[in-house]
């Protein structure tokens, strides 16, 4: 049977610029992790632990012990919460804190994702600008050589204005909302 996949590139076969970029991004991640406040680091560790199966197993064992002890199924342990009110309170308080830790971690991850998205946008805009310039050079070469350049080359030579694209997106969204409002 033929394997339809391509083997992953060996580390030495990567482009030097790509290797440099990977190293730079990893260095940046480490620096950002080092700049995190002690509270953010604690929240991250708690979130990592509470998001693990070990936490599920420990919680399950604790609740099982609590219930069996308070139902009187463990003779050596006297019931200490026969109505399970304390268990409910502990679970509620734990849920409040755990959700807060998760939100702290998610906020930190969202900030990092926003920075990466901004970087991606800036690189995309730069790439688009560079491609537009290359299209202009190719068009000039085609003109010089007397080669037919096709109909859409003039459009490709125009720079994209991100603010105009965002305005068009906003206008489309506003029209869609108006249409939805008129239907309801």
């Amino acid at each position: 049977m033929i394997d339809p996949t391509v083997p992953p590139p060996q580390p030495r076969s990567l482009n030097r610029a790509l290797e440099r970029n990977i190293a730079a991004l990893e260095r940046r991640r480490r620096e950002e992790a080092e700049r995190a406040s002690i509270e953010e680091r604690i929240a991250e560790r708690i979130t990592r632990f509470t998001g693990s199966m070990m936490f599920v197993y420990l919680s399950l064992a604790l609740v099982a012990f609590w219930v069996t002890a308070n139902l009187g199924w463990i003779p050596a342990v006297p019931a200490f919460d026969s109505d399970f009110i304390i268990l409910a309170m502990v679970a509620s308080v734990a849920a409040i804190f755990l959700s807060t830790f998760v939100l702290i971690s998610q906020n930190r991850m969202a900030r990092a994702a926003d920075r990466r998205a901004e970087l991606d946008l800036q690189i995309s805009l730069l790439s688009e600008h560079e491609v537009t310039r290359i299209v202009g050079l190719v068009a000039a070469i085609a003109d010089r050589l007397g080669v037919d350049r096709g109909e859409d080359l003039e459009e490709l030579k125009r720079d994209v204005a991100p603010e105009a694209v965002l305005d068009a997106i906003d206008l489309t969204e506003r029209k869609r909302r108006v249409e939805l409002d008129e239907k309801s």
Side-chain angles (χ1 to χ4, degrees):
M1 176 175 233
I2 298 174
D3 185 6
T5 62
V6 176
Q10 299 304 313
R12 297 204 187 273
S13 68
L14 294 178
N15 177 303
R16 282 192 313 255
L18 185 57
E19 288 175 349
R20 179 186 57 79
N21 291 345
I22 290 169
L25 290 174
E26 181 57 31
R27 187 172 50 254
R28 182 63 162 230
R29 278 191 203 105
R30 270 189 257 110
E31 290 170 358
E32 288 174 358
E34 289 170 6
R35 280 195 308 264
S37 69
I38 189 72
E39 293 89 357
E40 288 175 326
R41 290 179 193 186
I42 291 170
E44 185 68 35
R45 285 190 183 122
I46 291 171
T47 302
R48 196 175 319 124
F49 173 68
T50 58
S52 71
M53 286 306 294
M54 180 57 74
F55 178 75
V56 172
Y57 299 142
L58 290 173
S59 298
L60 184 60
L62 178 66
V63 170
F65 170 77
W66 194 295
V67 170
T68 56
N70 286 292
L71 289 175
W73 295 351
I74 305 175
V77 179
F80 52 89
D81 185 21
S82 57
D83 295 335
F84 298 104
I85 292 173
I86 297 172
L87 177 62
M89 183 196 62
V90 168
S92 297
V93 170
I96 291 168
F97 280 104
L98 290 177
S99 62
T100 302
F101 289 130
V102 168
L103 288 172
I104 291 168
S105 295
Q106 286 179 337
N107 287 340
R108 187 164 174 255
M109 290 187 313
R111 286 191 304 271
D114 287 346
R115 285 193 302 276
R116 284 191 300 272
E118 179 67 22
L119 173 64
D120 188 42
L121 173 63
Q122 294 301 327
I123 290 172
S124 294
L125 289 171
L126 177 61
S127 296
E128 187 280 328
H129 177 73
E130 291 170 346
V131 167
T132 300
R133 294 294 161 248
I134 291 170
V135 168
L137 287 172
V138 170
I141 292 169
D143 288 345
R144 184 111 194 218
L145 295 175
V147 176
D148 179 29
R149 14 187 222 145
E151 298 173 11
D152 34 334
L153 195 59
E154 287 304 315
E155 186 175 337
L156 293 175
K157 285 177 22 181
R158 293 178 30 209
D159 272 322
V160 172
E163 62 278 4
V165 175
L166 289 172
D167 289 345
I169 291 170
D170 289 344
L171 180 62
T172 302
E173 287 177 358
R174 281 195 301 272
K175 285 180 181 176
R176 185 179 54 81
R177 273 188 245 122
V178 167
E179 289 171 2
L180 290 174
D181 289 345
E182 288 173 354
K183 287 180 182 179
S184 51

